[in-house]
DNA sequence: TTATAAAAAGACCTGTTTATCCTTTTATAA
DNA sequence: TTATAAAAGGATAAACAGGTCTTTTTATAA
């Protein structure tokens, strides 16, 4: 469904939010380690997220990544759009470039329902809502941490 | 969602079914043209489908592709599994390798519902059911044909 | 004010998917 | 029985996603 880059981005942002909640600013290596992604690749993704101002960054000693506005929420939809565009929410499930309610492919009606459900998730879930679930022990961020 | 190869495969199979219903056996060029896919690439995909015996083929003059058993149906699930495996039906939406009802990622419950819905579509829709919709004028196979 | 720690930037490498082209095999119509 | 039309097979290329490495910039603690 999502590209690896997008998945890494979402996991990284959730981790950053978790650390920010403890008044800490994780760096590239810490983030990469926690989300179980290659460090150099994680650095590139964090660069992208910073360039698009989803997060802020500080260079130099004690630097790292952080959310600039602790009150705002960030929807998965926005993260996905920035990382890979929104075609996952619009593409035809049959591969047709022209496919719509009025000119449907044979999968259209059923597939569009599923796709819209996915869009709903992406629009309503946020980095903060995911982080909260982890903080409440209802979910895990990575393979390492078992919440037993 | 699906790879291009899988989409081409499904569209090709639907077209072959449509032609078979008229007692014809389309060849590579005809299929490629109708499903709006590159001919050489379509040939490779038809080769794969033939090797896995989803369809039969005849070489030589008057040859082409066809379903060997006109009574059987072929689910999209089977086509997808052969073309790209079944990870689309099993992957975690958050990218975790270990993600389950008992050890969920923060997206798990909502995402699994969507994914299962998609699995339902793939298991219940068949090449034949899609072809039938087209024959009834309820849907289109390609960009060219407008069903107005 | 300098050594150090960190992110930013850019070049480069790797693997997979998508796609093309050429040769070989095979069936059949003439 | 031969020319021809078609699929099968194999090698190669192009585009993209995923990933690495090195250098540059910048902030700060010592």
């Amino acid at each position: 469904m999502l590209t690896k880059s997008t998945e890494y981005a979402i996991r990284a942002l959730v981790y950053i939010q978790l650390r920010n909640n403890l008044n800490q600013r994780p760096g590239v290596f810490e983030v990469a380690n926690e989300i179980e992604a290659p460090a150099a690749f994680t650095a590139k993704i964090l660069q992208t997220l910073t360039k698009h101002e989803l997060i802020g960054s500080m260079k130099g000693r004690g630097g790292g990544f952080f959310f600039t506005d602790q009150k705002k929420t960030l929807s998965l939809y926005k993260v996905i759009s920035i990382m890979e565009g929104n075609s996952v929410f619009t593409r035809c499930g049959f591969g047709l470039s022209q496919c719509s309610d009025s000119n449907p492919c044979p999968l259209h009606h059923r597939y569009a329902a599923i796709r819209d459900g996915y869009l709903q998730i992406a629009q309503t879930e946020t980095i903060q809502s995911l982080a909260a679930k982890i903080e409440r022990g209802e979910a895990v961020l990575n393979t390492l941490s078992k919440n037993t």
Side-chain angles (χ1 to χ4, degrees), chain A:
Chain A
M1 202 71 161
L2 301 177
T3 64
K4 278 199 176 184
S5 296
T6 305
E7 287 178 355
Y8 291 160
I10 293 172
R11 297 218 300 274
L13 289 166
V14 169
Y15 181 70
I16 291 165
Q17 179 66 59
L18 288 172
R19 298 307 282 172
N20 283 190
N21 289 350
L22 303 172
N23 292 307
Q24 298 192 310
R25 282 194 310 225
V28 168
F29 292 95
E30 183 182 344
V31 171
N33 202 51
E34 290 292 328
I35 68 170
E36 296 170 275
F41 196 48
T42 301
K44 282 300 177 203
I45 288 165
L46 291 174
Q47 246 180 67
T48 301
L49 298 174
T50 301
K51 203 177 317 179
H52 284 86
E53 301 186 316
L54 297 192
I55 45 176
S57 71
M58 285 283 294
K59 285 187 183 182
R61 277 202 177 176
F65 298 89
F66 51 90
F67 285 91
T68 51
D69 185 347
Q70 289 288 26
K71 284 146 225 141
K72 264 203 230 165
T73 60
L74 172 58
S75 73
L76 298 192
Y77 180 82
K78 179 143 194 194
V79 180
I80 294 167
S81 297
I82 284 174
M83 293 301 297
E84 60 174 77
N86 69 346
S87 77
V88 67
F89 303 114
T90 58
R91 290 190 80 251
C92 166
F94 195 62
L96 303 191
S97 52
Q98 312 294 329
C99 175
S100 62
D101 287 349
S102 61
N103 194 57
C105 82
L107 269 179
H108 181 73
H109 300 296
R110 292 186 75 178
Y111 182 74
I114 292 293
R115 207 182 51 189
D116 291 350
Y118 189 66
L119 175 62
Q120 271 302 109
I121 296 180
Q123 283 176 335
T124 56
E125 295 286 344
T126 65
I127 297 301
Q128 289 71 33
S129 71
L130 300 191
K133 277 183 214 174
I134 292 170
E135 283 169 337
R136 290 196 299 267
E138 296 169 15
V140 299
L141 175 65
N142 56 32
T143 295
L144 315 164
S145 62
K146 285 262 178 192
N147 78 321
T148 44

